[in-house]
Amino acid sequence: MSEEREPPPLPGAAQTVFPEPQDAEDLFVSAASAMESPEAACLSAEDISPSSNGPRDDDPDDLFAEATEEVSLDSPERQPILSDGPSPAITPVTPVMISPRVDVFDRSPDQDEDEEENRDTFDIQISVSDPEKVGDGMNAYMVYKVTTKTSLSIFSRDEVCVKRRFSDFLGLYSKLASKYMHMGYIVPPAPEKSIVGMTKVKVGKEDLSSVEFVEKRRSALERYLLRTVKHPALLKDPDVLQFLESSELPRAVSTQALSGAGILRMVNKAADAVNKMTIKMNESDAWFEEKQQQFENLDVQLRKLHASVESLVCHRKELSVNTASFAKSAAMLGNSEDHTALSRALSQLAEVEEKIDQLHQDQSYADFYLISELLGDYVRLITAVKGVFDQRMKAWAKWQDAQVMLQRKREAEAKLQYANKPDKLQQATDEIREEIEEWEGKVQQGERDFEQISKNIRREVGRFEKDRVKDFRVVIIKYLESLVHTQQQLIKYWEAFLPEAKAIA
Amino acid sequence: MMLLAVNVDLQTDATLQVDISDALSERDKVKFTVHTKSTLPNFKQNEFSVVRQHEEFIWLHDSFVENEEYAGYIIPPAPPRPDFDASREKLQKLGEGEGSMTKEEFTKMKQELEAEYLAIFKKTVAMHEVFLCRVAAHPVLRKDLNFHVFLEYNQDLSVRGKNKKERLEDFFKNVVKSADGVLVAGVKDVDDFFEHEKTFLLEYHNRVKEASAKSDRKIRSHKNAADDINRIASTLYTLGTQDSTDLCKFFLKVSELFEKTRKIEARVAADEDLKLADLLKYYLRESQAAKDLLYRRGRALVDYENANKALDKARAKNKDVLQAETTQQVCCQKFEKISESAKQELIDFKTRRVAAFRKNLVELAELELKHAKGNLQLLQSCLGVLKGDT
């Protein structure tokens, strides 16, 4: 690796690295000399100074000066986080870590703008439709038709139709999360499993609740796909493309709740939770602290709102049922009333109430599909956002741990000075030197990763908030329009009834 | 105070006008101020007021029912007992839960519960008033001595509520009465008018009961939905104050809108309660009173027929004929007296019923329209602002 030593490429923004060679040179020289002559086990003061190990947010010069060693991005620790799919295509827009470092640091702010413009000409329509039951009994499952219509060039055809089942969607999410979440990307979560709901469908109950369940799921899957492709990086991901285009998809077995992978996931989640409690991060960037607090507050309020809206949906359904029931009783009363005009008016009242009950039912669907589901989606999305902040904490912790290890190795090296076994000394010194080099590399990588994920998160959060504003605006306006329609209908019905009531003589 | 949902076309002439001018809710009782204006010579003054409690109204009603002279009239149904228990319980729960909600939420909920309490209070006053007005409007009942005492005697009538023994007695009396009622109803009437009325009232009463129960449930769901909208408005307000994006203004505006629309929804439920539910409840009680009249007439008919049979037997045996004749005459008179007034009562009942339904259905439709239009206007103006902002 020492042969390929070349100065680190310049990031677009950080132009100030080289113009200030003074400080950089010292460290550069000492580090370089340390590498060239492993025998010279004397460490200059600067190397083990605390300043070279801690977070260097305020001193970008030294950051890059230390990075004399090229750490290959194909190092073993990278592998586990790669997906099991084929390696992604390398395009200038895709900030995938597997590509050479050049791309990673080439992401200038200008490119961010370009991306936004591309999104305005975003041309892809996805629909999930035609749920079909396949198989019988407990092995049965629903298959959905996924239709993609697009003019984007990354797709092989203008219009593609494929058949997918629920676990395919879960599998897609699983792959995307494992690829992108650790980089700070907000990956839209897939809809939740529902054992109760699915069992009813499997058992073959053709009643209203299973029909509603399938429709709810279909709609949720559609929203999930739309959100996924709205993300510029995810849209170009080969797993996504394969999901949308290829007629056959390998069955995602690891999504079963009680499978080995499922249990591993649960264990990991628990471990993460414990880790989160023990990591105390020195937050030097107020933006992150502020944003985390904001998302925390948003989470609390959205959950509260969601609960109230769910209650409203329930009560409106109840109102619809009770109105229908009242309508019937009013009709019966009208029948037994022996004053003809009053009898007729009561029958008319019954008809009005029947129409109103249908109105309430329609309104409750709007309550649900527009507002309640949106809120549910956002509660899950915010969990993903919080997850991404956690990933940043993990990256920070990893970086800190690497620094601690480096420190230990350096101390061990210093100790070797005082060991009095000259014949073993050379070998031990060589070993420790290698280890120090290794950990220096890891520290640099850790810092780079931390910087990168922080940058990504800033960008992602910006994008997320923009989408959130748009989503809520659109949905709330649609919802208010549905309320307007309901009132207009009510006016129509009561205006028709009033003369009937007045006609009672 | 004038929530006279069913008090239509009652001939309130100058000779006797009764109303409840004030009411006070104390711990577990309500004190009604009964105000009378009369030109009748029976009263010492032309205008006077007394304070009465619910038990005294019941005493008056029961005295009518027990009076044989009034057997041929539909006795105006007694007003239901004032029931603030549910409302008080809610207020208490609110007080206990004060710590777990924000100050705004607490104040809002308190205001609503207080409004609910006030609405129940107004309703109970109205129902007691309707009872008195019905009595005052009735050509015979208005002359009743107990009624005058009720109106004028400015001391406590010392009417205590029934004790356990008396209540048990009442219960058994009712059981016997309904069993007897079934027997009596089974007797076919020669008079077509009454036969028709019997069938009609039986079915009508049951249907009104159904409709009344269903309308109560419907209105409760409506209130629940309005409560949900209230909570949604509060949460939207909090979101609006916290949000760092452009959405903050959006949320605040929508929160404001929902505050207003849910007030309207609550009014719709309240008006439906007043115009529809209360109407049905009242006619449930009145139709029962009409059924009671038919029962008394039926009873008198059976007694009359039995007396006839007894007379025939006595004549045949030539024993106690005079006594049998007297009994038969008494029964005959009683029966004919009841029949005569009952016919008129039932006709009046129909007239009153039709008028009350007409008034209430018209008012219901008008109020529904008013609220829907108000709602629509709020929604459209808010939409205009929100769409313009984007």
Side-chain angles (χ1 to χ4, degrees):
Chain A
M1 281 206 275
S2 5
E3 303 89 42
E4 293 174 279
R5 199 165 26 97
E6 59 188 23
L10 297 167
Q15 299 288 351
T16 55
V17 176
F18 275 18
E20 279 187 293
Q22 263 49 355
D23 304 355
E25 226 168 87
D26 287 348
L27 284 168
F28 200 95
V29 164
S30 56
S33 64
M35 265 199 323
E36 277 165 34
S37 48
E39 310 82 38
C42 54
L43 296 165
S44 62
E46 285 109 317
D47 275 3
I48 36 176
S49 67
S51 54
S52 62
N53 284 348
R56 302 286 259 154
D57 287 348
D58 39 349
D59 225 347
D61 326 15
D62 295 340
L63 172 79
F64 292 110
E66 262 179 43
T68 52
E69 210 169 62
E70 190 175 295
V71 177
S72 165
L73 286 161
D74 290 321
S75 59
E77 62 218 349
R78 283 266 165 267
Q79 297 312 350
I81 27 193
L82 292 178
S83 75
D84 29 8
S87 56
I90 297 165
T91 67
V93 187
T94 314
V96 178
M97 288 290 244
I98 311 174
S99 58
R101 259 186 311 159
V102 182
D103 287 342
V104 175
F105 291 115
D106 266 351
R107 283 200 61 79
S108 62
D110 304 325
Q111 261 175 307
D112 289 3
E113 251 88 88
D114 286 348
E115 204 180 38
E116 307 295 57
E117 274 166 43
N118 284 343
R119 255 188 330 135
D120 289 357
T121 58
F122 187 74
D123 178 21
I124 176 168
Q125 284 172 327
I126 301 188
S127 66
V128 173
S129 59
D130 304 318
E132 244 178 74
K133 187 163 158 202
V134 171
D136 272 316
M138 287 314 284
N139 290 329
Y141 58 91
M142 296 299 285
V143 161
Y144 302 87
K145 188 163 94 167
V146 178
T147 313
T148 311
K149 289 197 184 107
T150 176
S151 62
L152 294 175
S153 50
I154 46 171
F155 288 87
S156 55
R157 299 201 290 286
D158 280 356
E159 185 168 332
V160 175
C161 267
V162 294
K163 293 246 166 85
R164 296 284 177 255
R165 54 184 290 189
F166 185 67
S167 53
D168 293 334
F169 290 81
L170 295 183
L172 175 65
Y173 169 70
S174 179
K175 287 192 191 143
L176 294 176
S178 67
K179 272 201 264 188
Y180 295 103
M181 213 161 84
H182 69 88
M183 293 202 298
Y185 283 49
I186 300 170
V187 180
E192 279 166 357
K193 283 178 190 270
S194 164
I195 297 179
V196 171
M198 257 334 268
T199 311
K200 270 203 225 161
V201 173
K202 286 185 208 229
V203 163
K205 276 180 86 175
E206 287 290 328
D207 66 354
L208 188 63
S209 68
S210 27
V211 167
E212 275 182 12
F213 172 79
V214 171
E215 171 54 29
K216 182 176 164 183
R217 178 162 276 195
R218 180 210 67 77
S219 171
L221 291 172
E222 195 174 88
R223 290 195 309 272
Y224 164 66
L225 285 181
L226 282 168
R227 283 215 175 85
T228 304
V229 297
K230 253 209 299 201
H231 193 300
L234 298 180
L235 172 58
K236 307 213 159 55
D237 181 282
D239 282 319
V240 171
L241 293 173
Q242 185 190 40
F243 180 92
L244 292 174
E245 286 193 317
S246 78
S247 44
E248 284 300 319
L249 208 62
R251 173 95 190 275
V253 190
S254 65
T255 59
Q256 282 161 344
L258 295 175
S259 69
I263 296 191
L264 185 64
R265 254 199 301 279
M266 284 196 287
V267 169
N268 281 341
K269 259 203 195 146
D272 278 350
V274 172
N275 282 340
K276 211 161 93 169
M277 292 193 287
T278 54
I279 296 176
K280 277 198 177 42
M281 180 169 169
N282 303 346
E283 187 56 80
S284 51
D285 192 338
W287 186 91
F288 284 93
E289 210 170 304
E290 209 183 287
K291 278 298 163 192
Q292 265 184 292
Q293 189 56 53
Q294 276 174 6
F295 280 114
E296 199 56 50
N297 293 345
L298 189 61
D299 189 29
V300 167
Q301 294 306 320
L302 283 184
R303 277 178 203 266
K304 218 164 136 190
L305 191 61
H306 189 210
S308 300
V309 172
E310 280 187 323
S311 176
L312 176 64
V313 169
C314 187
H315 285 140
R316 246 212 256 268
K317 273 207 197 126
E318 229 176 69
L319 177 59
S320 159
V321 165
N322 288 344
T323 307
S325 167
F326 171 71
K328 283 202 191 82
S329 71
M332 298 276 275
L333 185 63
N335 278 347
S336 62
E337 172 59 64
D338 63 352
H339 184 277
T340 4
L342 178 56
S343 168
R344 210 183 55 232
L346 285 170
S347 305
Q348 299 285 31
L349 179 69
E351 267 178 45
V352 167
E353 294 286 344
E354 223 178 277
K355 291 197 195 124
I356 291 179
D357 116 63
Q358 188 57 47
L359 213 56
H360 284 312
Q361 203 179 50
D362 293 343
Q363 184 61 61
S364 88
Y365 283 143
D367 292 345
F368 180 72
Y369 281 105
L370 286 178
I371 304 286
S372 181
E373 288 285 81
L374 173 78
L375 290 172
D377 286 350
Y378 267 90
V379 164
R380 280 196 299 279
L381 276 168
I382 289 190
T383 310
V385 172
K386 295 209 287 198
V388 138
F389 278 98
D390 288 345
Q391 292 291 329
R392 178 172 172 270
M393 266 207 325
K394 269 165 79 175
W396 182 83
K398 198 163 165 202
W399 178 26
Q400 297 305 303
D401 290 346
Q403 285 178 340
V404 166
M405 278 310 283
L406 179 63
Q407 180 67 11
R408 280 204 202 130
K409 297 296 175 189
R410 286 188 171 152
E411 281 168 4
E413 192 186 42
K415 272 213 199 107
L416 277 181
Q417 306 287 315
Y418 302 103
N420 38 22
K421 290 214 177 90
D423 51 323
K424 292 257 176 81
L425 186 64
Q426 188 56 50
Q427 189 193 358
T429 318
D430 285 347
E431 273 175 28
I432 207 78
R433 253 294 112 194
E434 261 178 50
E435 284 178 7
I436 287 180
E437 281 172 21
E438 189 191 327
W439 282 101
E440 275 174 349
K442 284 193 183 161
V443 166
Q444 288 162 13
Q445 188 58 47
E447 193 173 7
R448 271 203 298 271
D449 288 346
F450 179 73
E451 294 281 302
Q452 189 56 45
I453 196 177
S454 301
K455 202 160 152 211
N456 286 347
I457 289 179
R458 276 180 189 264
R459 196 186 59 239
E460 284 287 286
V461 165
R463 191 183 57 85
F464 177 81
E465 291 287 75
K466 243 173 134 192
D467 282 344
R468 178 166 77 89
V469 170
K470 207 156 77 151
D471 273 352
F472 272 80
R473 267 218 189 114
V474 163
V475 163
I476 288 181
I477 287 182
K478 249 204 235 165
Y479 180 66
L480 292 183
E481 282 171 350
S482 83
L483 290 175
V484 163
H485 172 79
T486 301
Q487 296 303 318
Q488 283 168 335
Q489 291 297 99
L490 275 176
I491 290 173
K492 221 169 72 175
Y493 299 152
W494 286 110
E495 268 175 355
F497 175 73
L498 190 54
E500 293 287 344
K502 286 188 171 159
I504 304 171
Chain B
M1 233 35 105
M2 286 302 193
L3 293 172
L4 300 180
V6 293
N7 193 19
V8 253
D9 296 347
L10 291 180
Q11 300 300 321
T12 45
D13 55 306
T15 51
L16 182 62
Q17 277 178 357
V18 185
D19 67 87
I20 296 184
S21 58
D22 195 10
L24 193 64
S25 167
E26 281 181 7
R27 234 172 185 282
D28 52 353
K29 54 189 167 206
V30 181
K31 294 208 168 115
F32 302 96
T33 305
V34 179
H35 167 248
T36 314
K37 257 168 89 177
S38 172
T39 55
L40 292 177
N42 325 49
F43 301 111
K44 296 199 194 78
Q45 297 164 297
N46 283 354
E47 191 169 349
F48 48 90
S49 292
V50 294
V51 175
R52 292 282 172 250
Q53 289 182 40
H54 176 73
E55 287 73 26
E56 291 165 312
F57 286 77
I58 300 301
W59 165 81
L60 182 61
H61 170 262
D62 289 351
S63 76
F64 290 151
V65 170
E66 285 155 18
N67 191 333
E68 288 270 335
E69 289 295 303
Y70 302 144
Y73 306 124
I74 295 180
I75 310 294
R81 196 180 71 84
D83 184 13
F84 296 100
D85 289 345
S87 189
R88 261 198 217 111
E89 209 180 287
K90 279 197 215 168
L91 270 169
Q92 199 179 12
K93 263 203 210 138
L94 179 69
E96 286 166 9
E98 185 175 354
S100 70
M101 54 181 87
T102 70
K103 191 146 189 289
E104 293 98 29
E105 275 175 14
F106 178 75
T107 333
K108 246 209 291 186
M109 286 204 70
K110 186 152 171 273
Q111 275 172 358
E112 271 161 53
L113 286 180
E114 281 172 351
E116 201 181 288
Y117 190 94
L118 189 64
I120 298 177
F121 184 72
K122 280 191 185 165
K123 258 209 244 184
T124 193
V125 166
M127 293 196 276
H128 284 74
E129 191 176 67
V130 162
F131 169 70
L132 293 178
C133 293
R134 282 267 280 121
V135 175
H138 195 283
V140 175
L141 294 176
R142 78 208 309 239
K143 300 191 193 132
D144 182 83
L145 192 61
N146 284 338
F147 183 48
H148 291 183
V149 168
F150 177 94
L151 290 177
E152 202 179 19
Y153 186 61
N154 59 10
Q155 307 280 356
D156 192 354
L157 287 173
S158 298
V159 168
R160 55 167 178 73
K162 300 200 171 150
N163 64 24
K164 229 196 252 182
K165 177 159 169 278
E166 283 163 344
R167 278 206 289 266
L168 204 59
E169 280 173 4
D170 271 356
F171 173 71
F172 281 120
K173 254 198 248 171
N174 276 334
V175 169
V176 168
K177 179 170 154 220
S178 29
D180 194 31
V182 171
L183 281 168
V184 163
V187 175
K188 180 130 188 353
D189 207 314
V190 288
D191 189 330
D192 278 344
F193 175 81
F194 284 105
E195 189 57 31
H196 165 80
E197 285 296 308
K198 206 165 46 170
T199 337
F200 162 71
L201 271 176
L202 193 61
E203 195 186 60
Y204 188 80
H205 177 79
N206 289 337
R207 303 253 170 112
V208 166
K209 206 192 262 181
E210 263 297 290
S212 174
K214 300 278 165 73
S215 90
D216 280 347
R217 283 230 291 270
K218 174 172 89 102
I219 290 167
R220 219 175 4 249
S221 297
H222 214 137
K223 285 205 184 109
N224 287 341
D227 284 342
D228 288 327
I229 298 177
N230 195 17
R231 272 188 284 271
I232 289 171
S234 292
T235 315
L236 279 174
Y237 181 77
T238 314
L239 272 171
T241 54
Q242 277 178 359
D243 206 289
S244 54
T245 66
D246 286 341
L247 279 182
C248 63
K249 280 183 288 171
F250 213 77
F251 284 147
L252 287 174
K253 202 95 211 1
V254 177
S255 163
E256 197 187 316
L257 170 72
F258 282 164
E259 277 287 338
K260 296 195 190 129
T261 58
R262 78 113 199 135
K263 282 207 179 87
I264 294 185
E265 288 297 328
R267 284 307 311 279
V268 170
D271 286 340
E272 282 177 356
D273 194 24
L274 216 57
K275 299 294 168 191
L276 199 53
D278 279 355
L279 175 74
L280 292 169
K281 279 198 198 76
Y282 186 81
Y283 277 94
L284 181 62
R285 293 200 299 276
E286 270 251 16
S287 57
Q288 182 61 49
K291 272 170 70 179
D292 290 343
L293 169 62
L294 280 181
Y295 162 72
R296 290 195 291 271
R297 180 180 170 276
R299 178 82 254 159
L301 176 60
V302 165
D303 290 344
Y304 178 37
E305 284 176 350
N306 287 345
N308 273 339
K309 288 193 197 125
L311 180 60
D312 287 343
K313 238 202 245 172
R315 284 195 177 136
K317 284 194 191 153
N318 208 359
K319 189 182 170 196
D320 295 326
V321 172
L322 192 61
Q323 189 185 41
E325 268 178 357
T326 329
T327 314
Q328 192 256 24
Q329 275 216 358
V330 164
C331 285
C332 176
Q333 269 168 2
K334 183 170 172 203
F335 173 69
E336 280 174 355
K337 180 170 176 228
I338 290 181
S339 289
E340 194 181 313
S341 59
K343 189 160 188 170
Q344 192 53 48
E345 287 283 300
L346 289 167
I347 291 172
D348 287 347
F349 171 61
K350 182 162 168 176
T351 318
R352 270 199 317 273
R353 181 175 81 243
V354 171
F357 268 79
R358 181 186 192 281
K359 176 171 183 276
N360 279 23
L361 288 177
V362 167
E363 285 176 359
L364 176 70
E366 285 172 348
L367 283 167
E368 294 270 4
L369 273 171
K370 173 171 158 222
H371 294 318
K373 286 183 179 154
N375 238 339
L376 181 65
Q377 204 245 345
L378 281 172
L379 286 165
Q380 280 173 332
S381 93
C382 181
L383 259 178
V385 170
L386 293 178
K387 280 182 173 165
D389 258 356
T390 48

